Amino acid sequence: MDAVAIINAAINGIVIGTLMALPVLAITMVFGIARFPNAAAGDYMTLGAYTAIAVQTFLSSSLVLGVLAACLVTALVSVFFYLWVFRTLESRSNISRLIASIGVAFVVRNTITFFAGQDQYNLDVPLVRAWNFDGIRILPTDLYIMAIAIGALALVFYVLHGTPLGRRMRAVADNPDLAAVSGIRSRRVMLYLWVLCGVFCGLGGVLLGIKAVVVPELGFELLMPMFAAVILGGIGNPLGAVIGTLLFSVSQEIASLYVGPAYKIVMAFLVLLLVLLFRPQGIFGRVMAAR
Amino acid sequence: MSHSINTSRRRFVSSSAAITAATFLPFNAWSQQSSVFRLGALNSITGVGGPYGPAMLESIRIAVDEVNAAGGAAGRRIELFAEDDQTKPDAAVLAVKKLIEINRVEAVVGIWPSSVGLAVMPITNNAGLIMMNTCGAPEMQVENKRGLAWMFQASNAVFGRAFAQIARQRGFKRPAVMAFNNSTFVGLANYFKETWEAEGGKVTDLVIYEPNQTSYRTELNRVLATKPDIIALGSYRPDATIILKEWFQTGQDCSFIMPGWTANEGLVEAIGKEATEGIISVSNVAANEHPAYKSYAERFRAKLKRDPDVFAAQSYDMVITLALAIEAAGAQAGPIDVNSKIRDVTGQDGDRIDSFVQGRDAIKAGKKINYEGASSKLIFNDRGATVPDFGVSEIRNGKLVLKETVAGSA
């Protein structure tokens, strides 16, 4: 396989990986702080993409407005389900919250199909040709998507490590009881967390909708690879989520050059397997001692 | 008092024995003497088949009205029961069970996708019912073991061959194939390759891709790296949208040949005129020259204000063919007997007829008949499949333009 093909595959993997890092980060943070795998994340993405479609259909053709509306609506829905479902189940085991989140996923998806039907939608974005550097192709649209995704990631890392809110979030993630004793109001931290989860899933959904087509299964189909990326990076670790997603999607794209495309997801899981063999806690995960 | 308890117990035992016995009777035993033929329509009204299902159901209604207006088939009025399969096999199974167990239909017509056809066929086969469809998966013919299923649309094996022949006729030299990983499209891809290489030349690459991805760029780049002049693309609309978008973005020159149920105005709407310009779209087309088509299309236009598509014409033919077979089998016939007459009323050695009334009168006069349908000549092979004519269209400035018609089964 020549170098150009590998570089193109890697570029494609990096673009998709950066984009997917947004919802994966949301999943890993919900896991770190609310302590359960949120299976509704995929359908929050779908909701974001459909919100942008709705804005383009009924309000204005502006994509910026669509993206903002998607983030807002998904954040509201995410907070709504926190207040209605996940807060009530806070004291239950994480399995019951996982099951509840699967239920939330169904509710979101079926509400979407009730109004929008099963047929595909497309976000109205002008088609442009890629820049061609001796066979290495770079798409202007991809650069915008990357810029937005990296900007959002930078913002969240700044919030986490540079603001009092981030410190409180990390404190709750480390030890909720100690955080409560230290006077941190975990309710407010949780609200911020779910807003962030909604915004990131919604944003990821719209960006994905721009690249692909908007169908009711858009986000749900990605749930398994996203969970795998969370595990690869180390559960609950934000930086790990980003690195894990990038590694996962780049290895998927490069693998499909060598094995049949039908096996590309298998190869990505093989990478996951290898990493976990040598680092069972994931790339950035901490070793958790069990007593 | 004990006496009355005894009789009621006896009555209970005897009546429950009767009920049990009744449930073991096959369905056709119920309807043998009936003056009504109960017909089930299972259409994809919602879901991916939504663009086609409603017109198919309307065409079935047009045909049922035609038969009933003429006094029924063999004196039996056709009573229609319609269900929506949502283009999903699971919903279809529930719907067909309702049609069979509650409505007690004797035939199910109008099934559109192969996924539904393959799910429903075991059920209709077990119940001994006729099943007429527009499914294209080659497995449909393999599974049609009782000869009760009738395929009114070309199989994808035939589509694959047609794609290869059309591409060669148009002077393409270096074809590549990309196909969605399911039985329908893998079949199409393999038959394309086989046909092309049998006539000399090589397929530059054949890639079967996994469905439900957000990007197919790496697969596409792999195919484009072999510098094909045309890609045979076996895709549904969502994946075709992504692939064509990504192809357009690369700027590499290449033509596409695709099935008509994907490459149509809906695709243009999804990705715009520029990226779809020149796509070759191959689909079955209705038999526009047949009198049966002209008479049916007039009634269809009066109702739906547009021309019928091939699936709608096929649905109309299903009911007319079935009605002629009922006529030929006689008023007392059950589904199996009716089924055995389907070949008789479409046989090539009979007198050509173009409508139900014409056919009924010929049958009454003791003649052999050959119904030439609105969708095709209805020549069924030994596995119950027919091949309508192919229309080769090109997308020009966002519209499908018919270029030529290639004859189907002869």
Side-chain angles (χ1 to χ4, degrees):
Chain A
M1 207 55 68
D2 60 341
V4 173
I6 296 173
I7 293 171
N8 274 328
I11 291 174
N12 199 26
I14 290 170
V15 173
I16 295 173
T18 316
L19 191 166
M20 294 301 298
L22 298 172
V24 171
L25 187 68
I27 293 175
T28 210
M29 284 187 58
V30 168
F31 195 91
I33 298 170
R35 301 203 178 273
F36 73 95
N38 179 17
D43 291 280
Y44 285 172
M45 292 171 71
T46 317
L47 178 69
Y50 272 92
T51 308
I53 296 278
V55 167
Q56 280 206 334
T57 313
F58 299 113
L59 289 179
S60 99
S61 62
S62 156
L63 195 62
V64 178
L65 197 65
V67 170
L68 293 177
C71 295
L72 181 70
V73 169
T74 325
L76 287 176
V77 168
S78 162
V79 169
F80 168 75
F81 278 113
Y82 162 65
L83 293 175
W84 188 38
V85 179
F86 300 121
R87 191 178 56 174
T88 325
L89 296 173
E90 233 158 29
S91 53
R92 304 285 187 83
S93 78
N94 54 5
I95 297 296
S96 52
R97 275 171 288 164
L98 167 64
I99 303 290
S101 73
I102 295 174
V104 168
F106 277 118
V107 170
V108 171
R109 196 176 339 141
N110 289 330
T111 311
I112 291 170
T113 52
F114 180 79
F115 289 106
Q118 301 280 346
D119 208 4
Q120 72 175 50
Y121 288 85
N122 302 278
L123 278 163
D124 200 8
V125 184
L127 267 183
V128 282
R129 305 268 192 191
W131 297 318
N132 195 334
F133 304 99
D134 288 329
I136 296 169
R137 295 197 182 98
I138 293 173
L139 262 181
T141 333
D142 282 354
L143 290 185
Y144 292 128
I145 289 176
M146 292 266 293
I148 294 171
I150 292 174
L153 290 172
L155 189 68
V156 84
F157 280 107
Y158 170 71
V159 169
L160 273 180
H161 295 281
T163 64
L165 170 67
R167 265 197 300 283
R168 286 200 293 270
M169 278 184 150
R170 284 183 292 137
V172 174
D174 272 346
N175 190 332
D177 295 332
L178 190 59
V181 169
S182 321
I184 293 173
R185 298 202 353 228
S186 72
R187 176 69 16 99
R188 187 175 290 174
V189 168
M190 292 307 252
L191 278 176
Y192 279 120
L193 168 72
W194 285 102
V195 167
L196 191 106
C197 166
V199 168
F200 270 43
C201 289
L203 184 60
V206 184
L207 296 183
L208 202 60
I210 293 172
K211 275 190 80 65
V213 289
V214 181
V215 289
E217 286 79 26
L218 177 78
F220 179 73
E221 294 283 355
L222 294 166
L223 203 57
M224 271 306 126
M226 288 197 298
F227 277 175
V230 167
I231 295 169
L232 185 60
I235 300 169
N237 184 303
L239 182 63
V242 176
I243 304 289
T245 320
L246 279 171
L247 188 61
F248 198 79
S249 68
V250 170
S251 55
Q252 222 182 66
E253 295 304 321
I254 293 181
S256 65
L257 292 173
Y258 294 94
V259 296
Y263 294 99
K264 74 193 236 184
I265 190 88
V266 179
M267 295 307 285
F269 275 95
L270 197 67
V271 172
L272 174 69
L273 196 72
L274 286 176
V275 170
L276 293 188
L277 270 178
F278 295 104
R279 279 189 71 84
Q281 68 274 32
I283 301 173
F284 289 92
R286 286 166 303 176
V287 183
M288 281 183 250
R291 270 176 286 180
Chain B
M1 283 305 278
S2 67
H3 181 73
S4 68
I5 288 173
N6 268 342
T7 48
S8 75
R9 185 187 294 155
R10 215 169 283 150
R11 206 179 292 151
F12 172 77
V13 168
S14 62
S15 58
S16 49
I19 290 169
T20 319
T23 53
F24 279 110
L25 284 173
F27 292 104
N28 52 15
W30 286 94
S31 47
Q32 289 263 317
Q33 264 78 43
S34 137
S35 61
V36 171
F37 186 92
R38 294 163 167 271
L39 177 66
L42 184 63
N43 299 110
S44 301
I45 305 290
T46 55
V48 184
Y52 300 108
M56 291 172 75
L57 178 57
E58 204 51 60
S59 303
I60 290 169
R61 289 214 177 97
I62 290 172
V64 168
D65 289 347
E66 178 182 337
V67 174
N68 287 344
R76 297 169 75 179
R77 216 170 57 78
I78 297 182
E79 195 176 344
L80 185 67
F81 299 91
E83 280 293 328
D84 175 18
D85 64 25
Q86 301 170 29
T87 329
K88 287 182 194 158
D90 45 345
V93 165
L94 290 179
V96 82
K97 283 191 167 162
K98 182 246 171 195
L99 286 173
I100 295 173
E101 286 163 15
I102 296 172
N103 302 125
R104 302 208 309 270
V105 299
E106 295 169 66
V108 180
V109 299
I111 295 167
W112 182 71
S114 295
S115 56
V116 166
L118 288 167
V120 162
M121 205 195 301
I123 302 171
T124 52
N125 269 355
N126 273 340
L129 305 184
I130 302 165
M131 183 257 218
M132 294 174 156
N133 59 70
T134 66
C135 306
E139 286 86 346
M140 289 293 292
Q141 301 187 36
V142 181
E143 292 303 316
N144 185 16
K145 296 194 174 103
R146 292 190 68 181
L148 288 165
W150 301 90
M151 277 59 78
F152 282 66
Q153 162 89 356
S155 130
N156 284 295
V158 180
F159 263 96
R161 282 189 215 114
F163 272 33
Q165 282 155 3
I166 292 163
R168 192 177 288 274
Q169 275 163 15
R170 297 193 162 216
F172 291 102
K173 298 268 182 285
R174 298 174 53 80
V177 190
M178 277 183 87
F180 186 98
N181 194 0
N182 73 0
S183 63
T184 301
F185 287 121
V186 171
L188 190 149
N190 289 335
Y191 280 103
F192 181 96
K193 185 170 193 240
E194 204 174 88
T195 312
W196 185 274
E197 295 188 345
E199 291 175 22
K202 273 244 163 274
V203 166
T204 63
D205 201 359
L206 187 153
V207 168
I208 306 293
Y209 60 83
E210 279 304 287
N212 304 322
Q213 294 188 62
T214 48
S215 164
Y216 297 93
R217 203 151 115 198
T218 306
E219 289 89 335
L220 183 70
N221 280 340
R222 188 173 143 172
V223 171
L224 288 176
T226 63
K227 304 224 168 4
D229 52 8
I230 187 165
I231 297 178
L233 187 60
S235 305
Y236 292 110
R237 183 132 53 88
D239 33 307
T241 305
I242 300 174
I243 291 172
L244 288 170
K245 232 196 244 181
E246 290 176 333
W247 160 74
F248 184 81
Q249 288 165 340
T250 65
Q252 185 168 332
D253 203 25
C254 182
S255 298
F256 284 87
I257 182 166
M258 298 169 63
W261 64 86
T262 301
N264 49 33
E265 273 91 357
L267 186 70
V268 176
E269 203 178 296
I271 42 178
K273 290 176 182 172
E274 212 181 339
T276 49
E277 183 69 12
I279 289 177
I280 303 168
S281 166
V282 183
S283 57
N284 278 152
V285 285
N288 301 17
E289 299 306 312
H290 286 187
Y293 175 83
K294 286 177 182 157
S295 138
Y296 149 73
E298 199 177 306
R299 281 170 282 162
F300 185 91
R301 275 191 290 264
K303 278 190 164 183
L304 296 183
K305 315 280 176 245
R306 63 175 175 91
D307 282 336
D309 56 78
V310 68
F311 297 118
Q314 286 163 354
S315 305
Y316 170 83
D317 280 346
M318 290 175 193
V319 179
I320 299 297
T321 310
L322 190 63
L324 288 169
I326 297 169
E327 183 71 41
Q332 306 296 317
I336 304 285
D337 299 326
V338 172
N339 190 64
S340 67
K341 296 289 178 192
I342 288 175
R343 282 183 200 283
D344 294 355
V345 297
T346 54
Q348 291 306 291
D349 49 349
D351 292 353
R352 172 182 175 148
I353 57 123
D354 300 301
S355 72
F356 172 71
V357 174
Q358 207 186 347
R360 181 195 63 189
D361 295 345
I363 292 170
K364 279 188 176 156
K367 288 186 193 148
K368 280 183 135 183
I369 61 162
N370 171 24
Y371 173 57
E372 301 265 287
S375 62
S376 74
K377 288 180 179 169
L378 300 179
I379 305 168
F380 291 102
N381 69 9
D382 56 352
R383 291 180 182 275
T386 185
V387 181
D389 294 347
F390 286 98
V392 186
S393 305
E394 282 173 19
I395 298 180
R396 290 288 166 206
N397 197 24
K399 291 268 176 284
L400 271 181
V401 183
L402 185 68
K403 289 287 171 181
E404 60 192 301
T405 311
V406 181
S409 57

